[in-house]
Every structure is written in structure tokens, then in C-alpha cells.
């Protein structure tokens, strides 16, 4: 008898899960149906075409140190589409005291891995450099969960937190280092201290044992945009197995399976259900099934952010744009969190003679800007670009993309919240959760979670597993 699996949410997690399930459908008698409340696939992955530019409204790339996105692209036949970052201009700048200053080479991981660039930088004071070097002698901390700021302040000092750590957390996670959990947000850094005691020693050892790849850069994208990954995945699914504009109202128990009730009144029967929707949406969908589980999902907070993309003629930009972009510490009092120089970061993505800049706004404690009109947002962005890049020209293209409640925040205690969710899920065999709200916000993490959820559904088919990871 064929087993019905309903997947709710067609972001990259849900698409990856559906693809993995259908790959193995010839070995398992099951059918899949992927439901999406909006009229668009991909969630925050959205490539907007404004000829001659392709603009990433959400993420613009993925990490290759986590192999899941890179491997999936290869599996889907997108290897020739993969595009690495510029081989020459790899630096990142920090705006500090009225000037863009390069972050020391080898410090993109927040931990120095090269001695001379660290010692010679003007970005950090002599006292801050001495304080960072003390990490070599400090003991391991306790196993208590702590904020990212508390951790780095303990190991490397307050100036490190203000000038590097917090801008990084704002730019990547739209979060505040004083709130986000180190263990959940930066598990690799947490493991580094546990394994090596000293972060500096651990990074030097890891660097010595690693071998650089000639085919990969740390960040990669697709030549025609990340949206290509979304639509290639969708094209591999069985025709009719995706329903757009299908908002789920609730999931309730029904004998040995579940009833999936849609807002248009339709009711679907399923033996297994995977929710990859944001935690606040999953919370509402599961409220009737398990109020306690619903409450734990509601306890996962979100913040809102926006990206603003501007296009200029290269002759109008005075700065050489010789890097990936820049970050701005909170202490500098600017509206934007930073900017990516897209036309430099990924060569060949813009026509010759043109420059594409992508600015980031909002995030924890700064969400008010998203409520303003577009022209007010552009005015604030232009003011900051004039200050940071001395850029006074009018852009001939400008686009703003708002992501309301688009960024889950892994605050202290997040791992405990996940354990509680996992315990409650054990009461409901065949119900699964995955996505950015749980264990990793990046594209590779979401692909991994979707694949793992699919594997568990397939394992359950033969009675071997339940729950979520």
C-alpha cells in the first residue's frame, strides 16, 4: 500500500526533502506532496532578474566547508554553473572611526590564523592584540551555554567583540552577540575550545592539517543565480507533486496517520508529515495536535532584516572595491550593517563597467527601519554609502527586499529548547520538523536537515526511526 507523505513549506529544506524522498521512491511505496503557502518556491532564496543584472534578494552564496549545497549542485548537474569568489580580492573591510580599514588577512573566521597581518593591523589597539594573544594561556571555560559576546570577551577581550565579533553576527545572522548562543550559533568555535583549549592554537593546528581545494572557494554561488538551484530541484520532482498557494491551517491526528487541513477547506490524509515552515508558523499549525510542542516552537524568536541593492557605473565609484565588502560595528551609529561588493565578490556577475552593491539593514534591535517607505530607506542607505565609500552618485537601479521575521535567533538555551521539542515529537510518530529554526540557518545546513528528515521518513517505513535531528 502506498504511503502518503505531506511536506509543508517549499523552501530549500522542503525541496531537498522532497527530492531525496522521490529519489528513493522506486524502493519504497510512497507518494509525496509538497505544499507552499505562497506563489513562489525557495523561501529566502530568490534571484530577481533586472537586466542586465541578476540580484540575490536573500542569500547570495553558500559555504563549501559544509559540503551539502556543493554536493547537491554537483548531483543535479550544476557543476558547470558553480562560481567561486574572486581569486585576488578576498579582503573584508571594517568601518571604524570614519574610515574603511581592512580586516587582517587570515581573520575571516574571527580568530587570527596569520601572525604578521594580525600584529601589523591598525584596526585593533596594541592592548587589544595583547589581550587576544592571552587566549594562548587561558584555561577552558565551563560547559555552560553562554552568549557569543560573553565567550569572546572571556577569551579575547571587549575590543574584539565590539570591532569584529558583533559586526559579523549582525551581518550573517542579523543578531546581537550579546543575545545569541555560542553553542548553537557557532558550534565550530565552541568545539574548538573544547578540543584544543586555546582558539588560536586550535586554528593554527586546523590550518596546518587542511589542504586547500583548487576547485572550491570558501563561498560559492551559481552563475545564473541561486534561484537556479531551487528550480532545478523542483524540475526533478514528479509533476503535480507541488501545490503553490496552499496554506495549511492545522495538522491533527487521524488513526495511524494525520489530517492536514488547508485554509481553503481541503483535508489531506498522510502517514507522515514534515514541516519546514518557520517555527512561528509550525507553532500555529501544531497547536491543536500538541499545545506544549507548539509553545516550544513559539519560544524560538525571529528578527527581521532587509537587503538593498544599488547599481552604479564603475566610473562613479571612487573606492577600488578591492574585496568582498565591509561591516560596520554598532558603536559607529550607522543605519546599514554592512555591504557586499557583488561585482567584485563574484567576477562575471555584472556587465563590464558596472558596479553592484548589496547593503544589509535591520536585525536585532534595528528592525524599525523596515517600517519606513522605500524612498526613506534608500535615503538612509545613500547617506551611509557617502560616509563609508564617499559615493555621491545617484544609482540607476535600486531594489529593496524586506524579510519580515525571516531570521531565527539561536539565543542562550536554544539547545535545551530543541531537546524539549524532540521529546514531544516522540509522542507523534511520523511527524518531523526541519529547517533554519533548528540546527543551522545556512543553505548547506537546511539542505542537510531536509535530507536527514527524508532519510528518517524512509527509515520509519521499515520501522527503524522516528523524531528529528
Amino acid at each position: 500500500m502506498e504511503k502518503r507523505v505531506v511536506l509543508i513549506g517549499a523552501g530549500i529544506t522542503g525541496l531537498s526533502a522532497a527530492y531525496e524522498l522521490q529519489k528513493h521512491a522506486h524502493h519504497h511505496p510512497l507518494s509525496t506532496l509538497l505544499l507552499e503557502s505562497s506563489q513562489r518556491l525557495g523561501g529566502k532564496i530568490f534571484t530577481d532578474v533586472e537586466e542586465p543584472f541578476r540580484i540575490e534578494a536573500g542569500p547570495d552564496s553558500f559555504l563549501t566547508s559544509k559540503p551539502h549545497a556543493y554536493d547537491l549542485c554537483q548531483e543535479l548537474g550544476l557543476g558547470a554553473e558553480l562560481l567561486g569568489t574572486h581569486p585576488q580580492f578576498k579582503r573584508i573591510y571594517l568601518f571604524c572611526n570614519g574610515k574603511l580599514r581592512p580586516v587582517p588577512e587570515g581573520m575571516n573566521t574571527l580568530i587570527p590564523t596569520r601572525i604578521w597581518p594580525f600584529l601589523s593591523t591598525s584596526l585593533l589597539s596594541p592592548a587589544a592584540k595583547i589581550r587576544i594573544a592571552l587566549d594562548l594561556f587561558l584555561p577552558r571555560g565551563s560547559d555552560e551555554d553562554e552568549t557569543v559576546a560573553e565567550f569572546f570577551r572571556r577569551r579575547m577581550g571587549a575590543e574584539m567583540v565590539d570591532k569584529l565579533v558583533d559586526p559579523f553576527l549582525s551581518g550573517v545572522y542579523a543578531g546581537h552577540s550579546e543575545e545569541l548562543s555560542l553553542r548553537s550559533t557557532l558550534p565550530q568555535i565552541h568545539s574548538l575550545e573544547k578540543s584544543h583549549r586555546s582558539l588560536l592554537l586550535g586554528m593554527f593546528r586546523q590550518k596546518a592539517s587542511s589542504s586547500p581545494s583548487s576547485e572550491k572557494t570558501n563561498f560559492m554561488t551559481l552563475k545564473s543565480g541561486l534561484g537556479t538551484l531551487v528550480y532545478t530541484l523542483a524540475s526533478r520532482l514528479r509533476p503535480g507533486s507541488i501545490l503553490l498557494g496552499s496554506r495549511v491551517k492545522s495538522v491533527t491526528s487521524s488513526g495511524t496517520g494525520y489530517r492536514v487541513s488547508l485554509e481553503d477547506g481541503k483535508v489531506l490524509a498522510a502517514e507522515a508529515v514534515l514541516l519546514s515552515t518557520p517555527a512561528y508558523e509550525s507553532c500555529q499549525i501544531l497547536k491543536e495536535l500538541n499545545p506544549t510542542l507548539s509553545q516550544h516552537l513559539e519560544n524560538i524568536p525571529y528578527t527581521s532584516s532587509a537587503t538593498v541593492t544599488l547599481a552604479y557605473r564603475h566610473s562613479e565609484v571612487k573606492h577600488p572595491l578591492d574585496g568582498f565588502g565591509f561591516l560596520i560595528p554598532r558603536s559607529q551609529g550607522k543605519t546599514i550593517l554592512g555591504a557586499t561588493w557583488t561585482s567584485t565578490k563574484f567576477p562575471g556577475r555584472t556587465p563590464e563597467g558596472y558596479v553592484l552593491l548589496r547593503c544589509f539593514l535591520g536585525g536585532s534591535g534595528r528592525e524599525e527601519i523596515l517600517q519606513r517607505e522605500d524612498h526613506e530607506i534608500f535615503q538612509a542607505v545613500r547617506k551611509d554609502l557617502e560616509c563609508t565609500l564617499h559615493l555621491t552618485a545617484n544609482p540607476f537601479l535600486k531594489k529593496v527586499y524586506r524579510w519580515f521575521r525571516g531570521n531565527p535567533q539561536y539565543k542562550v538555551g536554544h539547545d535545551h529548547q530543541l531537546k524539549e521539542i524532540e521529546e514531544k515529537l516522540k509522542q507523534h510518530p511520523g511527524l518531523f520538523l526541519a529547517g533554519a529554526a533548528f540546527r543551522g540557518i545556512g543553505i548547506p545546513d537546511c539542505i542537510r536537515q531536509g535530507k536527514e528528515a527524508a532519510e528518517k521518513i524512509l527509515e520509519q517505513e521499515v520501522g527503524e526511526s522516528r523524531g528529528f535531528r
Side-chain angles (χ1 to χ4, degrees):
M1 180 178 177
E2 191 173 70
K3 178 178 179 178
R4 164 68 70 88
V5 181
V6 171
L7 304 99
I8 304 171
I12 192 64
T13 307
L15 284 165
S16 299
Y19 170 72
E20 191 68 20
L21 286 170
Q22 291 201 17
K23 261 192 351 182
H24 298 280
H26 56 287
H27 292 306
H28 300 267
L30 56 83
S31 67
T32 62
L33 184 63
L34 180 59
L35 305 176
E36 169 56 42
S37 61
S38 73
Q39 294 295 333
R40 183 178 64 80
L41 300 170
K44 286 189 71 178
I45 298 178
F46 174 38
T47 304
D48 195 2
V49 179
E50 288 280 345
E51 294 294 353
F53 302 105
R54 292 182 183 273
I55 300 168
E56 299 292 8
D60 70 345
S61 57
F62 54 80
L63 274 171
T64 58
S65 57
K66 298 178 179 181
H68 314 286
Y70 180 87
D71 290 349
L72 181 59
C73 288
Q74 294 285 7
E75 182 178 327
L76 293 170
L78 295 174
E81 273 279 304
L82 287 165
L83 177 66
T85 51
H86 200 293
Q88 182 180 354
F89 302 124
K90 298 180 180 181
R91 66 176 59 180
I92 298 173
Y93 286 85
L94 195 80
F95 183 75
C96 188
N97 298 326
K99 184 179 179 181
L100 284 178
R101 304 169 189 271
V103 174
E105 290 182 38
M107 210 164 176
N108 294 354
T109 58
L110 293 179
I111 302 167
T113 59
R114 296 180 60 183
I115 296 174
W116 176 245
F118 166 67
L119 292 176
S120 60
T121 181
S122 62
L123 183 62
L124 298 166
S125 69
K129 295 174 188 177
I130 293 171
R131 178 62 185 85
I132 291 170
L134 286 178
D135 167 81
L136 290 165
F137 310 101
L138 294 176
R140 290 182 179 86
S142 70
D143 204 36
E144 293 293 318
D145 197 6
E146 59 188 326
T147 68
V148 175
E150 287 170 339
F151 175 84
F152 275 98
R153 199 177 290 122
R154 170 170 62 81
R155 295 225 59 103
M156 294 185 166
E159 189 174 329
M160 174 73 171
V161 172
D162 174 58
K163 289 186 175 178
L164 287 171
V165 174
D166 193 62
F168 172 80
L169 268 291
S170 296
V172 177
Y173 297 93
H176 198 310
S177 63
E178 300 287 357
E179 298 174 346
L180 295 179
S181 157
L182 177 88
R183 182 184 295 166
S184 298
T185 306
L186 299 173
Q188 70 278 17
I189 301 295
H190 176 260
S191 299
L192 201 64
E193 185 191 39
K194 298 307 170 192
S195 301
H196 301 277
R197 182 188 56 78
S198 163
L199 303 184
L200 294 171
L201 286 176
M203 286 304 298
F204 283 129
R205 289 167 182 164
Q206 286 188 2
K207 184 180 179 183
S209 62
S210 64
S211 55
S213 170
S214 59
E215 63 178 10
K216 296 182 188 178
T217 57
N218 196 31
F219 292 95
M220 298 193 80
T221 188
L222 294 171
K223 293 175 184 176
S224 53
L226 288 177
T228 305
L229 174 58
V230 169
Y231 293 106
T232 302
L233 270 175
S235 71
R236 302 299 173 87
L237 302 184
R238 178 175 49 81
S241 64
I242 302 175
L243 292 182
L244 298 177
S246 301
R247 183 174 293 277
V248 175
K249 181 179 180 182
S250 66
V251 172
T252 55
S253 293
S254 175
T256 59
Y258 296 94
R259 288 165 51 92
V260 180
S261 302
L262 308 187
E263 286 195 346
D264 63 6
K266 294 179 183 176
V267 178
L268 306 172
E271 284 71 45
V273 175
L274 167 64
L275 290 90
S276 60
T277 42
Y280 53 85
E281 291 186 11
S282 300
C283 155
Q284 297 300 319
I285 292 171
L286 298 177
K287 185 169 286 188
E288 183 179 347
L289 177 69
N290 191 318
T292 306
L293 171 60
S294 173
Q295 182 60 56
H296 286 303
L297 290 169
E298 189 175 26
N299 289 341
I300 298 175
Y302 280 71
T303 190
S304 303
S305 62
T307 63
V308 174
T309 292
L310 307 168
Y312 298 87
R313 290 170 181 84
H314 199 284
S315 58
E316 297 171 329
V317 182
K318 298 176 183 178
H319 195 281
L321 305 182
D322 52 346
F324 290 176
F326 64 90
L327 297 170
I328 304 179
R330 290 174 186 266
S331 58
Q332 301 301 302
K334 302 300 177 186
T335 299
I336 64 174
L337 310 175
T340 296
W341 302 331
T342 303
S343 45
T344 304
K345 185 177 180 181
F346 294 110
R349 289 296 297 273
T350 54
E352 189 173 350
Y354 292 90
V355 166
L356 205 59
L357 308 180
R358 208 169 80 111
C359 302
F360 308 95
L361 303 90
S364 181
R366 302 179 178 186
E367 296 175 286
E368 182 273 333
I369 185 70
L370 273 73
Q371 303 297 334
R372 300 184 194 178
E373 299 291 334
D374 282 5
H375 70 90
E376 295 179 283
I377 292 177
F378 289 129
Q379 185 177 8
V381 169
R382 286 194 61 199
K383 181 180 177 182
D384 284 356
L385 290 179
E386 183 175 353
C387 181
T388 55
L389 295 176
H390 307 294
L391 181 55
T392 57
N394 290 319
F396 66 86
L397 180 148
K398 50 189 180 181
K399 300 279 287 187
V400 59
Y401 305 91
R402 294 171 176 83
W403 299 103
F404 291 106
R405 298 183 78 183
N407 307 86
Q409 302 289 285
Y410 298 171
K411 296 193 176 183
V412 171
H414 181 74
D415 57 341
H416 174 73
Q417 200 78 250
L418 296 189
K419 290 175 184 175
E420 292 293 329
I421 291 171
E422 189 171 38
E423 283 301 310
K424 295 298 176 290
L425 278 176
K426 289 179 180 178
Q427 301 172 16
H428 306 286
L431 180 66
F432 302 85
L433 294 167
F438 304 109
R439 290 189 170 91
I441 66 168
I443 293 174
D445 291 308
C446 291
I447 291 172
R448 171 185 55 78
Q449 292 182 69
K451 183 176 180 179
E452 288 177 351
E455 289 170 350
K456 291 191 172 188
I457 291 171
L458 294 172
E459 288 172 1
Q460 189 190 56
E461 178 72 14
V462 291
E464 293 179 4
S465 180
R466 67 176 62 173
F468 91 110
R469 179 165 46 195

